[in-house]
């Protein structure tokens, strides 16, 4: 089957070359039949890529160890679902998945424009054929992008899926993020076809608006899901670490956000035409840059792949494409002049321009931080990003709240008392209420400079968030009241539903803003985050089963919570979905700590946190090599905060000796004892006293982040679905 997959990818490359050649010939010779032939060839390519994807999926499901990708990223002991989702866990598989998504979207947009005879459409076809051809070229000629490389001789076993990826969020997070990355290609291709062909009438903006919103939605959803995964799986008590690969996804989202807003200015005021072209070029190339960062191996991160041979051709393509299309923007600059000039910086269009400036500036700063190891020889850590990111985020939140309340062409002074005054007062009130709330409910850190600054930022975030929420409520109230007065027979609820459906872009956008406000307020709670560690002493109990049990009666108090240690078990866990006899290949060693959490005398809950040690099997011999540790934190989620714990290192009780290798001791105890005497001998190798380190975090307001994320998702789906505002024919707008 490896040969079949390789043939399909080679056929795809040949077909795309044919498509591009025919399209170029048709454009130069104005030959409609050649253009149509190129379009049909491009619409056929998804079939070839889809078949090659199915071939790789079949190899993974069958655990075919004659395939290099299967050997390195799957195992016969994985559940079927994880075998299938491992198709995007490695570089070559994820690139094939990327190519598949690109071709599906290409087919959709070609179908949407099938009846259009505009001169710019062939250029869109050519751009998409070249882009897809580049990915097929990598899959044919570069080993690290080839999903059908043979493993000769056939491997003895698969190395399995990275344990960190065996989590529900990581099953759906990568494909959702990839959809966001790849779908930027479509509005980019549409915009560049208008640019290169010189057909720059504004109707192209209407066609790409929903495609851009689609990309923005999936990128944002993917980022938020990644945060949830990091919070629940990595065991470090956080949800965002400014990791290079996290930043790689954030940058195109920020640029797409800027584009979504500035398109409104072009449609309403005929401004920012040149700027919008640059924005969509930047958004597309930053999506490619994120892929390059992940797969080139230039920068390290928990999401990145190892060093790869595709890094050089990838960055050459990105730079070449960026320079080519940016050059065309400069060439067409006279055709992209604004129809009107900015009249007031505090007008609605002025606030949108400031919003754009801030988002692009933030992207530039993140880019500098991402490449700091290459530029400065050291990696910029989270404090550097937060030093400018937090105040920038607060200012962005202010613009988010203020822009909808401002008027076109007029400055803020002209509308302050009519639209801004009440939200302004509510923002001050919200900040004061928050000060009282956190002083009564959160453990305020010591008064050091950094903590005071974080406290100020937190209050400002809530105050500006309250201002934004009040503005949204005010806009909804006015709109619903006007709707009721116009109809006469609608109640408030009915008027609100009609308002939302008939003015979907405006009032649905307000709901998106509301979801982001909730997320920002959740971030504000980070100012009162507590992180500490405690140690508990444990004593070994006599063996009664296959589990090795330690007990403790130690207690600790952190931020008003009392933590009571109970048992610490070292036990076998069968790999999910596996049945049959236990073996070194299908048994995970779990260190499981159980703790009672009390506030005063009230038991809040019993938390069980683990460190799991997955077996790493040699693909050459099928024998055990080592263990791969993962964290399984336990979270007590309360209305105002999360109490989050993670079991850390287990040490000898004297704290001086080298830490015991308890997973390996357990493997010897579990598998090697054939008689009770041998079993007892293995058991006696365990230390009689150990010390367990427990990492503890108290995370205020974090629940608002997940609530805001859910609302972001729901609102995004609503905006994308054909509900409300009449669905326009895309082909007529192309």
């Amino acid at each position: 089957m490896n040969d079949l997959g390789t043939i399909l990818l080679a056929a795809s490359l040949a077909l795309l070359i044919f498509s591009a050649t025919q399209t170029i010939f048709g454009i130069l010779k104005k030959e409609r039949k050649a253009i149509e032939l190129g379009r049909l060839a491009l619409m056929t390519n998804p079939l070839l890529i889809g078949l090659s994807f199915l071939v790789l999926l079949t190899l993974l499901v069958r655990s075919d160890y004659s395939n290099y990708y299967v050997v390195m990223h799957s195992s016969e002991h994985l559940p079927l679902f994880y075998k299938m989702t491992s198709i995007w866990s490695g570089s070559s598989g994820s690139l094939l998945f990327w190519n598949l998504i690109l071709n599906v979207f290409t087919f959709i947009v070609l179908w949407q424009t099938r009846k259009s005879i505009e001169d710019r459409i062939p250029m869109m076809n050519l751009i998409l054929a070249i882009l897809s051809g580049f990915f097929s070229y990598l899959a044919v000629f570069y080993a690290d992008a080839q999903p059908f490389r043979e493993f000769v001789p056939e491997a003895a076993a698969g190395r399995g899926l990275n344990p960190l990826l065996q989590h529900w969020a990581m099953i759906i997070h990568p494909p959702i993020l990839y959809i966001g990355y790849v779908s930027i290609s479509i509005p980019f291709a549409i915009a560049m076809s208008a640019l290169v062909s010189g057909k720059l009438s504004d109707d192209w903006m209407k066609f790409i608006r929903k495609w851009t919103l689609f990309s923005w939605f999936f990128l944002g959803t993917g980022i938020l899901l990644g945060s949830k995964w990091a919070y629940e799986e990595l065991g470090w008590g956080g949800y965002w670490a400014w990791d290079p690969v996290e930043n790689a996804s954030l940058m195109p989202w920020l640029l797409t956000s800027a584009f979504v807003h500035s398109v409104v200015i072009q449609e309403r005021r005929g401004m920012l035409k040149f700027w919008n072209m640059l924005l969509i070029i930047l958004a597309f190339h930053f999506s490619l840059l994120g892929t390059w960062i992940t797969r080139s191996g230039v920068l390290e991160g928990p999401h990145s792949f190892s060093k790869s041979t595709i890094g050089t051709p990838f960055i050459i393509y990105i730079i070449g494409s960026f320079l080519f299309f940016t050059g065309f923007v400069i060439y067409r600059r006279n055709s992209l002049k604004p129809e009107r000039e900015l009249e007031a910086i505090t007008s609605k269009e002025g606030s949108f321009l400031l919003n754009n400036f801030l988002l692009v500036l933030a992207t530039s700063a993140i880019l500098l931080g991402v490449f700091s190891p290459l530029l400065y020889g050291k990696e910029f850590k989270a404090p550097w990003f937060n030093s400018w990111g937090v105040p920038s985020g607060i200012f962005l939140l202010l613009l988010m709240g203020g822009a909808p309340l401002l008027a076109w062409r007029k400055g803020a002074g002209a509308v302050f008392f009519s639209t801004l005054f009440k939200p302004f007062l509510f923002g001050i009130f919200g900040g004061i209420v928050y000060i009282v709330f956190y002083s009564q409910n959160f453990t305020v850190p010591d008064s050091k400079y950094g903590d005071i600054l974080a406290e100020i930022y937190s209050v400002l975030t809530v105050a500006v968030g309250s201002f934004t929420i009040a503005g949204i409520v005010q806009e909804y109230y006015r709109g619903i009241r006007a709707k009721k007065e116009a109809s006469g027979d609608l109640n408030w609820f009915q008027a609100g539903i009609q308002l939302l459906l008939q003015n979907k872009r405006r009032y649905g956008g307000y709901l998106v803003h509301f979801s982001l406000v909730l997320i920002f307020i959740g971030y504000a709670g980070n100012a009162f985050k507590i992180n500490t560690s405690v140690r508990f002493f444990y004593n070994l109990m006599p063996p009664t089963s296959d589990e090795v049990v330690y007990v403790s009666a130690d207690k600790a108090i952190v931020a008003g919570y009392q933590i009571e240690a109970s048992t610490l078990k070292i036990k076998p866990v069968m790999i999910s979905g596996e049945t049959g006899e236990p073996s070194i290949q299908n048994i995970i060693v779990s260190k499981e700590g159980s703790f009672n959490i009390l506030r005063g005398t009230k038991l809040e809950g019993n938390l069980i946190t683990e460190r799991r040690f997955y077996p790493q099997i040699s693909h050459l011999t099928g024998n055990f090599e080592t263990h791969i540790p993962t964290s399984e934190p336990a979270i007590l989620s309360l209305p105002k905060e999360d109490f989050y714990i993670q079991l850390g290192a287990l040490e000898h009780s004297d704290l001086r000796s080298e830490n015991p290798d308890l997973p390996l001791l357990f493997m010897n105890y579990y598998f090697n004892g054939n008689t009770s005497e041998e079993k007892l001998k293995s058991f006696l190798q365990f230390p009689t006293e150990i010390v367990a380190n427990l990492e503890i975090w108290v995370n205020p307001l974090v629940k608002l982040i997940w609530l805001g994320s859910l609302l972001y998702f729901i609102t995004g789906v609503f905006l994308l679905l054909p509900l409300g505002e009449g669905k326009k024919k895309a082909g007529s707008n192309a």
Side-chain angles (χ1 to χ4, degrees):
M1 292 190 75
N2 291 317
D3 291 339
L4 174 60
T6 302
I7 290 170
L8 288 168
L9 290 176
S12 166
L13 179 58
L15 186 66
L16 291 166
I17 292 172
F18 174 79
S19 173
T21 304
Q22 286 294 315
T23 305
I24 292 171
F25 177 80
I27 292 172
L28 294 177
K29 300 294 184 179
K30 300 187 183 303
E31 179 62 51
R32 181 60 58 186
K33 289 184 178 179
I35 291 172
E36 181 65 12
L37 188 58
R39 185 182 73 87
L40 291 175
L42 187 56
M43 291 184 74
T44 305
N45 192 56
L47 178 63
L48 295 176
I49 298 298
L51 287 174
S52 63
F53 185 83
L54 286 175
V55 170
L56 182 58
L57 197 62
T58 302
L59 291 170
L60 287 165
V61 170
R62 292 173 56 188
S63 297
D64 189 333
Y65 295 143
S66 68
N67 179 278
Y68 183 87
Y69 187 85
V70 175
V71 172
M72 292 300 162
H73 300 286
S74 187
S75 165
E76 62 185 287
H77 300 289
L78 280 175
L80 176 62
F81 198 62
Y82 284 136
K83 285 182 180 181
M84 297 174 67
T85 55
S86 65
I87 201 165
W88 50 71
S89 67
S91 180
S92 58
S94 62
L95 285 173
L96 179 61
F97 185 52
W98 176 290
N99 203 356
L100 175 65
I101 297 172
L102 174 62
N103 276 275
V104 169
F105 289 153
T106 297
F107 182 88
I108 292 171
V109 75
L110 291 177
W111 181 261
Q112 288 177 330
T113 58
R114 66 193 182 280
K115 296 181 180 178
S116 178
I117 57 173
E118 294 286 348
D119 291 338
R120 60 187 167 211
I121 297 302
M123 189 57 62
M124 180 191 75
N125 300 352
L126 178 61
I127 292 169
L128 291 171
I130 292 173
L131 178 60
S132 185
F134 173 70
F135 281 95
S136 292
Y137 162 77
L138 291 178
V140 171
F141 291 105
Y142 287 86
D144 292 315
Q146 293 171 351
F148 301 108
R149 289 167 61 190
E150 290 190 345
F151 198 98
V152 181
E154 186 172 319
R159 296 189 69 83
L161 180 64
N162 185 336
L164 289 176
L165 303 182
Q166 297 180 38
H167 181 269
W168 68 267
M170 286 306 287
I171 294 170
I172 57 176
H173 159 65
I176 286 177
L177 201 59
Y178 288 176
I179 289 172
Y181 271 133
V182 179
S183 57
I184 296 177
S185 307
I186 304 303
F188 166 78
I190 298 168
M192 292 307 99
S193 65
L195 180 70
V196 176
S197 66
K199 308 295 182 181
L200 290 164
S201 55
D202 282 342
D203 57 350
W204 69 272
M205 300 295 295
K206 299 174 183 177
F207 186 48
I208 70 171
R209 185 197 307 137
K210 187 155 259 187
W211 274 107
T212 308
L213 188 65
F214 178 88
S215 176
W216 172 85
F217 165 71
F218 274 92
L219 267 176
T221 302
I223 290 169
L224 293 170
L225 273 173
S227 295
K228 186 69 170 173
W229 167 77
Y231 190 66
E232 292 188 353
E233 187 69 15
L234 295 185
W236 61 291
Y239 37 78
W240 187 264
W242 295 103
D243 171 84
V245 181
E246 292 174 336
N247 292 331
S249 60
L250 180 62
M251 289 187 288
W253 183 83
L254 292 174
L255 293 169
T256 309
S257 299
F259 183 75
V260 165
H261 287 86
S262 62
V263 162
V264 177
I265 305 301
Q266 182 169 341
E267 290 180 330
R268 293 290 298 270
R269 303 284 295 156
M271 301 166 64
L272 304 182
K273 295 180 180 181
F274 184 90
W275 176 246
N276 282 333
M277 283 293 183
L278 283 179
L279 274 181
I280 195 63
I281 290 172
L282 286 170
F284 168 71
H285 288 93
F286 268 80
S287 74
L288 291 181
L289 186 68
T291 308
W292 177 78
I293 288 171
T294 310
R295 288 159 184 81
S296 66
V298 172
L299 300 169
E300 299 295 331
H303 313 73
S304 59
F305 303 104
S306 58
K307 289 190 180 295
S308 170
T309 58
I310 67 172
T312 300
F314 218 121
I315 197 65
I316 290 174
Y317 179 85
I318 293 170
I319 293 172
S321 173
F322 177 76
L323 292 177
F324 176 81
F325 289 109
T326 304
F328 251 105
V329 173
I330 297 171
Y331 175 71
R332 300 286 189 196
R333 63 188 181 279
N334 291 330
S335 302
L336 296 170
K337 289 182 178 179
E339 298 172 14
R340 298 178 181 85
E341 297 297 327
L342 182 65
E343 298 180 36
I345 192 63
T346 56
S347 63
K348 189 184 289 285
E349 56 266 44
S351 69
F352 275 57
L353 186 60
L354 284 174
N355 167 283
N356 269 231
F357 174 76
L358 190 61
L359 289 170
V360 173
L361 188 64
T363 303
S364 302
I366 293 171
L367 184 66
L368 176 65
V370 166
F371 287 100
S372 59
L374 303 180
L375 297 173
Y376 301 99
K378 63 177 182 179
E379 183 182 356
F380 291 175
K381 299 291 186 180
W384 182 85
F385 287 98
N386 290 331
S387 65
W388 61 263
V390 174
S392 297
I394 295 172
F395 188 44
L396 184 64
L397 190 62
L398 178 64
L399 290 174
M400 189 192 305
L405 306 178
L406 297 173
W408 298 105
R409 302 175 60 187
K410 299 177 182 178
V415 296
F416 179 79
F417 285 102
S418 60
T419 62
L420 291 166
F421 183 63
K422 290 179 181 178
F424 176 74
L425 290 179
F426 190 81
I428 294 174
F429 175 73
I432 294 171
V433 170
Y434 178 64
I435 292 172
V436 175
F437 174 78
Y438 79 67
S439 62
Q440 298 294 319
N441 291 276
F442 299 152
T443 301
V444 181
D446 296 332
S447 296
K448 294 179 289 187
Y449 173 75
D451 296 325
I452 291 176
L453 186 60
E455 208 169 318
I456 292 171
Y457 282 153
S458 182
V459 173
L460 282 175
T461 300
V462 174
V464 175
S466 300
F467 162 76
T468 304
I469 291 172
I472 293 170
V473 171
Q474 177 178 275
E475 288 296 290
Y476 263 95
Y477 172 76
R478 290 178 174 179
I480 292 172
R481 187 178 63 183
K483 179 68 68 177
K484 275 177 55 63
E485 291 173 355
S487 64
D489 58 349
L490 295 177
N491 59 37
W492 282 91
F493 178 76
Q494 292 170 329
I497 295 298
Q498 280 198 18
L499 181 75
L500 186 58
L501 290 174
Q502 293 173 6
N503 300 273
K504 189 174 175 181
R505 284 182 67 190
R506 179 179 179 182
Y507 290 97
Y510 290 161
L511 292 179
V512 173
H513 285 183
F514 182 64
S515 71
L516 293 175
V517 170
L518 292 180
I519 293 171
F520 269 73
I521 294 176
Y523 291 157
N526 202 50
F528 307 103
K529 178 178 183 174
I530 293 173
N531 175 216
T532 188
S533 60
V534 296
R535 285 173 166 168
F536 295 113
F537 280 79
Y538 286 85
N539 294 295
L540 181 64
M541 297 297 290
T544 57
S545 67
D546 286 331
E547 297 179 353
V548 175
V549 180
Y550 288 85
V551 297
S552 174
D554 285 359
K555 300 178 182 179
I557 295 178
V558 175
Y561 293 90
Q562 181 172 297
I563 306 106
E564 295 181 350
S566 177
T567 60
L568 195 156
K569 299 178 180 178
I570 306 171
K571 64 179 189 178
V573 176
M574 189 79 77
I575 288 178
S576 177
E578 187 72 8
T579 58
E581 288 296 316
S583 71
I584 60 170
Q585 295 186 340
N586 61 22
I587 286 294
I588 303 165
V589 178
S590 169
K591 298 177 183 176
E592 180 188 277
S594 181
F595 302 89
N596 294 320
I597 312 300
L598 300 91
R599 287 187 73 94
T601 58
K602 180 185 177 183
L603 178 66
E604 295 285 358
N606 177 263
L607 297 184
I608 298 175
T609 173
E610 292 180 79
R611 289 277 288 170
R612 288 192 168 189
F613 295 81
Y614 286 74
Q616 179 71 71
I617 305 302
S618 169
H619 56 288
L620 298 177
T621 64
N623 296 327
F624 171 82
E625 282 186 339
T626 186
H627 280 115
I628 304 175
T630 66
S631 300
E632 299 292 336
I635 304 170
L636 176 63
S637 189
L638 302 172
K640 67 183 179 73
E641 62 194 11
D642 279 2
F643 187 80
Y644 182 117
I645 63 172
Q646 174 60 57
L647 185 65
L650 303 184
E651 305 172 89
H652 281 290
S653 57
D654 60 14
L655 302 180
R656 293 188 301 272
S657 305
E658 184 178 349
N659 291 350
D661 191 343
L662 295 176
L664 188 58
L665 288 175
F666 182 80
M667 295 281 280
N668 290 329
Y669 169 70
Y670 187 68
F671 286 112
N672 297 336
N674 295 322
T675 66
S676 57
E677 290 79 9
E678 290 175 343
K679 199 85 169 173
L680 180 60
K681 184 178 179 180
S682 297
F683 180 82
L684 293 176
Q685 298 298 311
F686 287 92
T688 56
E689 291 184 340
I690 59 172
V691 174
N693 292 274
L694 186 68
E695 288 290 326
I696 300 170
W697 292 266
V698 180
N699 295 323
L701 303 181
V702 74
K703 196 181 290 292
L704 289 179
I705 297 174
W706 315 132
L707 180 61
S709 299
L710 180 61
L711 181 60
Y712 177 95
F713 174 78
I714 293 172
T715 307
V717 170
F718 168 71
L719 288 171
L720 291 174
L721 288 176
L723 301 172
E725 298 173 344
K727 188 181 177 184
K728 299 175 182 177
K729 293 183 180 179
S732 63
N733 295 328

